[in-house]
């Protein structure tokens, strides 16, 4: 924690409404030794992507996803890349960690429109969208970050 006090601030890919306790616990305006936290998320990319350098494969996958009924596809992500490294990993997840039946039941419960977790995700989705709007938390924190950067760039 000592080294963290040497930085000018922390930029965090989250938003106040999602993690208020965590953000506020690091945001003590009375203690100048604690650097400010800038929760400016959710940060998302709007650029088109390629899969393994193949834009056509990306288009095929997105096209297939677009054709599926609402709430009928589950995205599993293990790691920051957002995809599996090969079929062996999928087989390991299916066979060693849990059985296919357990996965099927869990996914079925999750996909139920009345599922409490699903309802909470919808609420947080809306809150994350609002957080980026003018006058809202992430928008304001980004403004504070830009102002602090500009203040530190100005000659003293």
């Amino acid at each position: 924690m000592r080294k963290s006090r040497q930085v000018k601030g922390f930029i965090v890919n989250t938003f106040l409404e999602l993690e208020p306790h965590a953000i506020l616990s690091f945001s003590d305006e009375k203690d100048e030794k604690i650097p400010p936290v800038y929760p400016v998320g959710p940060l998302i990319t709007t650029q088109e992507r390629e899969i393994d350098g193949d834009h056509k494969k990306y288009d095929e996958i997105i096209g297939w996803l677009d054709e599926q009924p609402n709430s009928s596809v589950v995205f599993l992500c293990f790691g920051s890349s957002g995809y599996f490294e090969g079929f062996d990993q999928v087989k390991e997840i299916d066979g060693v960690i849990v059985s296919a039946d357990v996965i099927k039941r869990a996914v079925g419960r999750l996909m139920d429109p009345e599922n409490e977790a699903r309802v909470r995700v919808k609420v947080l989705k809306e809150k994350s969208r609002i957080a980026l709007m003018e006058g809202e938390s992430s928008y304001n924190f980004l403004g504070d970050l830009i102002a602090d950067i500009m203040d530190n760039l100005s000659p003293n």
Side-chain angles (χ1 to χ4, degrees):
M1 186 69 167
R2 252 186 255 152
K3 287 205 182 248
S4 67
R5 292 176 187 233
Q6 297 172 358
V7 301
K8 297 280 186 187
F10 297 97
I11 301 171
V12 187
N13 186 12
T14 189
F15 56 102
L16 183 62
E17 295 78 3
L18 178 64
E19 301 181 274
H21 180 72
I23 293 167
L24 295 174
S25 68
F26 285 103
S27 302
D28 187 354
E29 292 180 7
K30 292 175 257 165
D31 188 348
E32 292 183 12
K33 296 177 198 167
I34 298 175
V37 176
Y38 303 99
V40 297
L43 301 177
I44 57 172
T45 181
T46 57
Q47 297 175 339
E48 291 189 20
R49 300 207 180 204
E50 295 180 353
I51 298 173
D52 297 331
D54 185 352
H55 191 74
K56 184 177 177 187
K57 186 188 281 187
Y58 174 85
D59 289 340
E60 287 175 22
I61 292 170
I62 296 301
W64 180 86
L65 286 169
D66 286 344
E67 293 171 3
Q68 304 313 303
N70 285 343
S71 301
S72 68
V73 176
V74 175
F75 174 69
L76 298 176
C77 178
F78 296 89
S80 61
S81 298
Y83 62 91
F84 295 110
E85 283 292 332
F87 191 67
D88 289 342
Q89 187 178 10
V90 176
K91 286 193 314 191
E92 182 179 328
I93 290 166
D94 181 43
V96 176
I97 298 175
V98 290
S99 72
D101 278 347
V102 171
I103 292 173
K104 182 179 177 182
R105 284 194 307 272
V107 168
R109 284 192 306 271
L110 182 62
M111 296 305 287
D112 178 0
E114 302 300 316
N115 180 291
E116 185 180 323
R118 195 171 174 82
V119 171
R120 281 195 316 262
V121 166
K122 284 184 178 182
V123 169
L124 287 173
K125 176 183 175 185
E126 180 63 13
K127 286 183 177 183
S128 72
R129 188 186 67 73
I130 291 171
L132 297 169
M133 298 173 83
E134 187 172 347
E136 299 299 330
S137 65
S138 291
Y139 184 94
N140 292 338
F141 278 109
L142 182 58
D144 293 344
L145 172 63
I146 291 169
D148 286 352
I149 290 171
M150 296 307 291
D151 287 347
N152 284 300
L153 291 177
S154 302
N156 292 342

